[in-house]
Amino acid sequence: MKLTISRYNPEKDKVPYDETFEVDDTLIKHDTMLLDVLHLIREQDPSVSFRFSCQEGVCGSDGMNVNGKNHLSCITPISSLSQPIIIKPLPGLPIIKDLIIDMSLFYQQYQSVDPFLQTEPLDIEEEHLQSPKERAKLDGRYECILCGCCSTSCPSFWWNPDEFAGPAALLAASRFVIDSRDIKHIDRLQELDSPTRTFRCRHIQNCTDACPKGLNPSRAIQELKSIMVKDL
């Protein structure tokens, strides 16, 4: 099996380049994940750099572009990939080394939407009640693991990363806008009501297609826009 990996070491390389590695097919099983194969490659060349942590599709650290689509390598079966397998870093953000990108701007955009509940001062004598119906509205919005696969697949984020909040941030924003316990509903909408922060989204569905958790950021952004039109 051959895999072509994008390499870049800023200490010696001016631009990224591709390097092809071969892995013994006898080491590959039907349930072998791409991350397992990358570990085999690193046994050949310890300088190959990529992020990983939980290896269970929970931490979101091992996002990368594989055959033109963003994936988490730890939950991508090697059997699902057509050959040749071409692996590049997630697009649209600066490369630190090989498959490792600088996520700083991604996290800044996420932080900018205040992704935390803002409610009345805590009263330890009272429960903060929410009906099952109200709670159900949050399903599909809180499960994001911040892997960056959605935002780095979005052309609007590539072109305006310092202005467009991006699918991950807007998914988080929508989660708190619709939370019945949050008291900053209008403040949040006013902050997001911008041609660049939110309405730059063109709903081409790349984000939804790339999400390894099966979430639908594009639909959440559409609903967020509708709420703005109704409530502002």
Side-chain angles (χ1 to χ4, degrees):
M1 174 179 291
K2 292 184 178 181
L3 295 90
T4 299
I5 299 176
S6 179
R7 305 297 309 274
Y8 174 66
N9 183 343
E11 295 181 356
K12 62 179 182 179
D13 302 321
K14 292 184 178 180
V15 295
Y17 65 95
D18 291 338
E19 183 174 359
T20 299
F21 296 87
E22 290 194 31
V23 177
D24 188 347
D25 287 337
T26 62
L27 300 175
I28 308 299
K29 301 178 181 178
H30 181 73
D31 60 350
T32 297
M33 298 297 168
L34 175 59
L35 181 59
D36 299 322
V37 178
L38 289 173
H39 284 309
L40 293 174
I41 289 174
R42 197 147 74 168
E43 290 179 6
Q44 301 176 26
D45 184 349
S47 71
V48 175
S49 300
F50 51 90
R51 289 191 178 109
F52 67 96
S53 184
C54 76
Q55 305 183 69
E56 296 290 344
V58 176
C59 71
S61 63
D62 60 323
M64 55 191 67
N65 186 275
V66 186
N67 289 352
K69 181 179 176 180
N70 294 347
H71 292 267
L72 291 183
S73 63
C74 63
I75 56 172
T76 301
I78 201 73
S79 59
S80 70
L81 301 173
S82 60
Q83 299 201 32
I85 298 173
I86 300 174
I87 306 174
K88 296 182 179 295
L90 293 177
L93 290 173
I95 302 171
I96 295 176
K97 186 180 180 183
D98 294 346
L99 303 178
I100 300 174
I101 59 171
D102 184 349
M103 300 279 285
S104 298
L105 184 56
F106 171 81
Y107 292 131
Q108 287 172 18
Q109 291 290 16
Y110 178 75
Q111 185 180 23
S112 74
V113 302
D114 295 332
F116 49 87
L117 192 66
Q118 300 184 66
T119 186
E120 299 289 355
L122 179 65
D123 184 350
I124 61 174
E125 301 297 327
E126 298 287 339
E127 293 181 282
H128 219 132
L129 299 178
Q130 186 175 52
S131 71
K133 184 176 181 180
E134 290 169 336
R135 167 61 184 80
K137 291 180 180 179
L138 307 183
D139 289 341
R141 299 175 193 259
Y142 70 87
E143 301 93 337
C144 175
I145 58 174
L146 297 180
C147 64
C149 286
C150 63
S151 291
T152 57
S153 70
C154 173
S156 291
F157 190 76
W158 299 340
W159 299 329
N160 305 277
D162 55 340
E163 297 179 2
F164 179 53
L170 293 174
L171 176 67
S174 73
R175 173 254 182 273
F176 291 101
V177 162
I178 67 171
D179 194 313
S180 62
R181 300 164 297 175
D182 196 276
I183 63 173
K184 296 292 185 178
H185 177 86
I186 296 299
D187 292 340
R188 291 182 186 276
L189 293 179
Q190 290 175 337
E191 182 67 23
L192 293 166
D193 186 20
S194 161
T196 54
R197 289 207 73 197
T198 302
F199 288 89
R200 185 73 68 182
C201 173
R202 302 299 186 225
H203 302 292
I204 62 175
Q205 307 291 323
N206 274 16
C207 56
T208 298
D209 183 54
C211 179
K213 306 301 287 187
L215 307 182
N216 195 333
S218 180
R219 183 173 62 193
I221 297 170
Q222 284 181 313
E223 293 174 356
L224 188 59
K225 291 178 179 178
S226 296
I227 294 171
M228 287 181 189
V229 172
K230 178 174 69 71
D231 292 355
L232 292 181

